[in-house]
Amino acid sequence: MTLTRTFRIVAAVAALIAGYAHFSLYQDGYKDIPIAHIGVQFLLNALSSVLIAAALLAPLFKKLPPLLQLVGPVAGLGWAASSLFAFWRSRTEGGWFGFRDGPGLNPSPEAAMSVYPEIVVLVCCAAIIASSLVVRKRSASS
């Protein structure tokens, strides 16, 4: 198994774990928070995690053009970065569109179940993209 393949699998599983945490919070009452449609944002985050996991795993099952192989990692990188930013922002004085949560890794255990896997997705997707760029550069110079 190649390192890129391993990164894809790990990132997909991590995205699904984080998505589950967001869906769990949505069901546990975040859907009823009236500020800035927080419930909808949590539900969309959970649904996005499923789509990103599928996009990350698709190249393992079907031969795709090189550019399409990057859709999952690029989407995963953006999703993880924006989720982590929203998590951080929701713990500041201004909150995320007025919504304040926290402090720290609260609610527990869902906060940890989303933050740590999102960091894993961020790192794995960055590694996949970097690896793809290195391979592309090597093939262009040969």
Side-chain angles (χ1 to χ4, degrees):
M1 184 179 299
T2 68
L3 195 55
T4 300
R5 183 180 183 89
T6 302
F7 282 146
R8 283 183 177 278
I9 294 168
V10 170
V13 170
L16 292 173
I17 291 169
Y20 170 77
H22 281 91
F23 187 68
S24 176
L25 287 169
Y26 171 80
Q27 287 185 313
D28 289 346
Y30 277 48
K31 65 183 172 196
D32 300 321
I33 296 173
I35 302 168
H37 303 288
I38 290 299
V40 174
Q41 290 182 43
F42 272 71
L43 183 59
L44 289 174
N45 188 299
L47 294 172
S48 297
S49 73
V50 174
L51 295 175
I52 288 164
L56 283 164
L57 296 175
L60 304 181
F61 298 102
K62 182 163 176 64
K63 181 76 172 150
L64 297 173
L67 194 56
L68 281 179
Q69 291 182 21
L70 288 176
V71 169
V74 169
L77 189 70
W79 170 80
S82 61
S83 294
L84 289 166
F85 178 77
F87 180 85
W88 167 77
R89 188 72 175 120
S90 71
R91 277 135 180 86
T92 62
E93 191 172 320
W96 175 254
F97 296 106
F99 171 71
R100 291 192 62 206
D101 207 357
L105 288 176
N106 286 309
S108 182
E110 290 88 351
M113 282 178 55
S114 66
V115 169
Y116 295 126
E118 286 164 357
I119 293 169
V120 170
V121 171
L122 191 75
V123 170
C124 287
C125 287
I128 295 166
I129 293 166
S131 172
S132 174
L133 294 174
V134 168
V135 168
R136 199 166 285 155
K137 187 175 182 177
R138 281 185 190 161
S139 63
S141 65
S142 338

